[in-house]
Amino acid sequence: MNTKFLSALTATAAATALFSVAAPAQAASFGTGGITFAEDTTVKFNFLGSHGMYQSSLGIYDVKNSMPTLIQTLFTETKRSDNGRRNEWQGTLGNTVLEGEQVFTFLANRIYTLGLNSGYDGSVYSTSTLNTGSGGTQQAVFGPPSVWDGVSLSSTRRFPDPEQFTNGLSALFNGGALISFDDRGNGWDADFQDFTLTAEAVPEPMTMTGLALGLGGLVAARRRRRGSNTAS
């Protein structure tokens, strides 16, 4: 392949990818401070596992005037765990949760939160200020998958320094963010292992269309150069 053509092709792809990642991230939030985007943003969620003794469901809530309203349930446990207390009430995909992938489009300039209803003490929310019954405490951690490096999911000890994991926006647009909840059970052990999932932004179709058009233009230009060289 012609070196100049390859360089132009690489530059076009890089510019398009950069635009698709950076644009939605401006004036946006995805963490314990709330969920909001400046543009419509589609996110793919995947269930990873649970370690809570209560039968739980996780949903997306619309927030208006600090009041959350459920608009879509993402994952629902069909039972409390795979096998009672074994592995600290572990729940796995295909056993406790049957559908492990969901997609949701967050509309621009709306405020959302994730909410975990465990049946223990009502719902806890990923937005800390909405946890009014517990004084606005942090009930979720956000960050890259490395959040759990060195932390055992099958341990009831307190999660170390959860306040360092409050923002998953960058990870959301760069390979996916990990989110994990604490449901306030077991004497409020703050282990942040009760319900765990990942979230990854889905590229907009326009991005792929723009890339295809750019590639098509480069191919056409190359053909014209070939034709011009042949004629001369």
Side-chain angles (χ1 to χ4, degrees), residues 25 27 35 39 77 92 110 120 138 143 174 176 181 191 203 215:
I35 298 174
E39 300 177 1
E77 292 185 318
T92 58
R110 295 267 294 270
Y120 166 69
Q138 181 182 348
N174 292 279
F181 281 82
D191 55 11
L215 296 180

Side-chain angles (χ1 to χ4, degrees), residues 30-110:
F30 190 77
T32 59
I35 298 174
T36 187
F37 298 97
E39 300 177 1
D40 291 359
T41 302
T42 301
V43 175
K44 179 176 68 175
F45 294 93
N46 283 284
F47 171 79
L48 291 187
S50 64
H51 284 84
M53 68 177 293
Y54 308 100
Q55 188 170 334
S56 304
S57 64
L58 182 83
I60 296 173
Y61 292 71
D62 184 59
V63 182
K64 293 180 180 177
N65 299 319
S66 299
M67 292 294 295
T69 301
L70 178 66
I71 54 177
Q72 180 174 320
T73 298
L74 294 176
F75 308 110
T76 299
E77 292 185 318
T78 61
K79 52 186 177 180
R80 295 195 294 174
S81 65
D82 290 350
N83 191 5
R85 294 177 177 272
R86 183 169 296 181
N87 297 320
E88 304 209 14
W89 302 94
Q90 182 181 39
T92 58
L93 178 60
N95 195 338
T96 302
V97 171
L98 302 182
E99 298 292 334
E101 181 179 303
Q102 296 290 338
V103 175
F104 181 81
T105 298
F106 294 93
L107 300 181
N109 303 313
R110 295 267 294 270

Side-chain angles (χ1 to χ4, degrees), residues 114-145:
L114 299 174
L116 178 68
N117 190 316
S118 69
Y120 166 69
D121 189 21
S123 295
V124 295
Y125 300 100
S126 61
T127 303
S128 297
T129 56
L130 295 177
N131 296 314
T132 54
S134 56
T137 56
Q138 181 182 348
Q139 300 299 150
V141 289
F142 286 78

